[in-house]
Amino acid sequence: QLQLVESGGGLVQAGGSLRLSCAASGRTFSSYAMGWFRQAPGKEREFVATISRTGGSTAYASSVKGRFTISRDNAKNTVYLQMNSLKPEDTAVYYCAAEQHASVYSYEYDYWGQGTQVTVAS
């Protein structure tokens, strides 16, 4: 089993920044591609960003491209999501997830964290 624990969420004003972290334990972190997803109240979970096992390849949802950056530190077993220029519509619970290969599809991910709340005030 791979355990994932997110942190770094909170309340921020529109235009502000937050950095989410997701710490992994239990298995070889570098064997997994990682993804960030989010779910707003009353909405389906949606893809935010993904990063390959080595960090050499990334992909983003069009709604966050240019504002969010996904990165990973395999020595620290951690993946990050730097979120800049936050908007009220970014308000959601953010989840990190792990899968063998980078994917934009949530159903392909085997392991999930418990989520961290991000609230962006207008």
Side-chain angles (χ1 to χ4, degrees):
Q1 291 288 338
L2 184 70
Q3 289 81 42
L4 303 173
V5 179
E6 302 95 335
S7 61
L11 173 64
V12 64
Q13 292 292 115
S17 298
L18 281 175
R19 187 175 84 154
L20 305 184
S21 299
C22 173
S25 62
R27 287 201 171 187
T28 305
F29 177 68
S30 59
S31 297
Y32 294 90
M34 300 297 295
W36 285 97
F37 292 79
R38 66 186 183 186
Q39 188 167 18
K43 294 189 176 181
E44 304 227 336
R45 191 170 297 189
E46 65 173 359
F47 167 74
V48 175
T50 187
I51 188 167
S52 63
R53 286 174 281 184
T54 64
S57 179
T58 59
Y60 297 90
S62 57
S63 58
V64 307
K65 199 167 188 177
R67 300 188 297 122
F68 291 11
T69 302
I70 188 171
S71 62
R72 66 189 296 162
D73 185 338
N74 285 347
K76 295 184 178 180
N77 293 345
T78 302
V79 62
Y80 305 97
L81 186 68
Q82 178 66 44
M83 306 186 294
N84 299 329
S85 303
L86 281 160
K87 305 175 181 180
E89 51 264 43
D90 294 319
T91 296
V93 177
Y94 283 72
Y95 299 88
C96 69
E99 168 42 15
Q100 292 291 316
H101 304 286
S103 173
V104 304
Y105 302 110
S106 61
Y107 63 81
E108 294 188 338
Y109 284 78
D110 294 323
Y111 301 103
W112 291 84
Q114 83 289 347
T116 186
Q117 176 70 47
V118 171
T119 303
V120 184
S122 57

